[in-house]
Amino acid sequence: MAEGRENRRYPQNLQGVLQLAVDAGSASDAAPLEPMSEERKEWLREALSEVCKGQMDEVEQMKQCLAVLCKERVSEQEKEGEEEMDEEEEDERESAFEALSELCENLDNARDLMVLGGLDLCVSQYLCHTQSGLRWRAAQLIASCAQNMPQVQIHLLSIGTLPKLLQLTDSDLNPTVRVKALYAVSCLVREQEAGLQAFLSHDGFSVLMRGMQSDNEKLRTKSAFLLLNLLTVYPSHKDTVVSMGMVQQLVSVLRTPRSPFHEHVLGALCCLVEDCPQGLGDCRNPSLCLEDLLTQRSRELQGKEESQEELDFCERLRAVCFHGQQNDDNAMDR
């Protein structure tokens, strides 16, 4: 019997215990309730004990990683006159960041890292670090912790994380840093009202526009996707975006060599013409020649199954902007 218990796998965290409870509940729906056996009780006690032990072990691992990252402060003082970090030391810190990112896929660990001061350390010491490998790993860790965690998002916003991430997205010389920083931005602003307000106050939409005009394919794609998401979730900000000249900028992006991210650009334009008279008027401006562009693009996309969504956006935009305009013109003639 002891051997049977040893062969059973215990859940490794509180999420695992929750899943265990759900599974047990599902099983109880299919069979009548019976008193829990002593063996089952003992197994459950041991499982909970293992979870608590495992969670403590992971907290200790995070503390060890933070100890490695905190050495930065001491090292910078000790290495007066040296501009570059020792390569071995940098590798050690990169490994610490990677371990933390993996651990913080567990939501409990993400919250614990915040309590331990790890996120404050990332923001104050590593987003501005001279080594690009540490900058992007810090941004990635921030993203991992912030995703779907309102408590962590609010904390990060309160310590001024968003402006630093937007600056990295906009102007860092390393392409990976820019992409990871934008990913962290998205984790702070999507479906987070306080994050959106901070995003607006720091001209975040302009950062996205410049991202779509960059020569970094991943940055272009992620910028366009985030723009489409924000316009879809927060339609009340369409007028703000249109007043920035976004329609004209997006159409100019569509005139660049065709790329998969154009699907998101067309989607954003569709958002800006629906229930937004100024956006519709901008798209109809003859100087943009948008109707001809959409007609040509539709022809190019016909029969390409992998481009169906882009084609749908293209034809939807053409129908809203120009088929309706023809009807309006006919009515005026009558």
Side-chain angles (χ1 to χ4, degrees):
M1 192 172 295
E3 182 180 353
R5 288 198 304 270
E6 289 174 4
N7 289 335
R8 294 180 181 177
R9 296 184 61 185
Y10 299 131
Q12 299 300 306
N13 51 46
L14 295 179
Q15 290 165 308
V17 173
L18 179 60
Q19 185 60 51
L20 179 67
V22 170
D23 293 342
S26 300
S28 66
D29 292 339
L33 293 175
E34 297 179 359
M36 186 180 293
S37 67
E38 288 302 318
E39 180 187 4
R40 182 69 173 171
K41 289 179 182 178
E42 183 180 351
W43 182 86
L44 186 56
R45 282 194 293 268
E46 291 177 0
L48 291 171
S49 176
E50 287 292 322
V51 168
C52 294
K53 179 182 176 182
Q55 194 69 25
M56 288 302 297
D57 287 345
E58 291 186 351
V59 170
E60 288 304 313
Q61 289 178 53
M62 290 193 291
K63 287 180 178 179
Q64 291 171 12
C65 291
L66 290 177
V68 171
L69 297 176
C70 283
K71 286 195 297 186
E72 175 72 9
R73 299 173 181 174
V74 177
S75 298
E76 287 299 320
Q77 295 173 357
E78 292 176 349
K79 295 184 176 182
E80 292 182 7
E82 291 189 21
E83 294 184 358
E84 294 188 4
M85 184 190 302
D86 177 79
E87 185 175 341
E88 183 177 342
E89 211 170 288
E90 183 183 351
D91 289 344
E92 186 180 13
R93 289 188 171 89
E94 288 180 356
S95 296
F97 269 120
E98 288 168 5
L100 286 171
S101 290
E102 185 175 343
L103 286 166
C104 289
E105 291 177 3
N106 179 329
L107 301 185
D108 295 321
N109 287 340
R111 189 180 297 105
D112 288 339
L113 183 67
M114 177 187 71
V115 173
L116 292 170
L119 295 178
D120 295 64
L121 179 66
C122 277
V123 174
S124 63
Q125 298 293 320
Y126 284 97
L127 286 182
C128 55
H129 201 280
T130 56
Q131 300 295 328
S132 60
L134 294 175
R135 290 199 302 280
W136 75 251
R137 285 176 173 84
Q140 178 174 267
L141 178 58
I142 288 169
S144 297
C145 293
Q147 196 165 28
N148 304 317
M149 285 287 286
Q151 182 183 1
V152 174
Q153 292 166 353
I154 294 299
H155 175 73
L156 286 166
L157 292 168
S158 73
I159 60 176
T161 307
L162 190 61
K164 293 184 178 182
L165 292 171
L166 287 171
Q167 184 177 6
L168 290 176
T169 301
D170 212 16
S171 57
D172 199 277
L173 297 178
N174 184 280
T176 304
V177 174
R178 297 181 72 183
V179 170
K180 296 293 185 180
L182 181 58
Y183 173 43
V185 168
S186 72
C187 291
L188 287 175
V189 303
R190 291 173 65 182
E191 300 185 29
Q192 171 53 261
E193 186 62 37
L196 178 68
Q197 293 306 316
F199 180 82
L200 291 171
S201 67
H202 290 93
D203 202 17
F205 282 117
S206 292
V207 173
L208 295 185
M209 189 66 254
R210 290 190 288 273
M212 285 185 282
Q213 295 169 331
S214 77
D215 57 1
N216 183 331
E217 180 70 18
K218 286 186 178 180
L219 186 65
R220 291 200 299 265
T221 301
K222 290 183 181 296
S223 296
F225 180 78
L226 181 55
L227 175 64
L228 174 57
N229 176 270
L230 293 178
L231 291 175
T232 302
V233 177
Y234 302 104
S236 60
H237 294 288
K238 291 179 184 180
D239 289 336
T240 300
V241 173
V242 169
S243 68
M244 296 165 51
M246 186 66 79
V247 167
Q248 293 83 350
Q249 297 288 343
L250 291 175
V251 173
S252 71
V253 169
L254 286 179
R255 294 191 181 282
T256 61
R258 186 172 166 268
S259 171
F261 87 96
H262 283 184
E263 173 190 322
H264 306 314
V265 175
L266 286 163
L269 282 169
C270 285
C271 286
L272 292 177
V273 300
E274 293 171 349
D275 300 318
C276 183
Q278 184 59 53
L280 182 59
D282 285 354
C283 282
R284 287 175 168 176
N285 189 323
S287 65
L288 288 182
C289 300
L290 180 58
E291 185 174 14
D292 292 341
L293 176 62
L294 294 175
T295 300
Q296 179 184 351
R297 183 62 58 88
S298 292
R299 289 198 198 103
E300 294 172 357
L301 297 174
Q302 290 293 338
K304 296 182 179 179
E305 186 176 348
E306 70 280 6
S307 302
Q308 186 58 50
E309 287 190 51
E310 183 179 350
L311 177 60
D312 290 345
F313 278 136
C314 194
E315 296 193 338
R316 176 174 149 199
L317 183 61
R318 187 169 56 159
V320 171
C321 292
F322 303 109
H323 292 178
Q325 185 180 31
Q326 292 170 5
N327 293 335
D328 292 344
D329 292 343
N330 291 337
M332 291 178 65
D333 290 341
R334 289 196 297 270

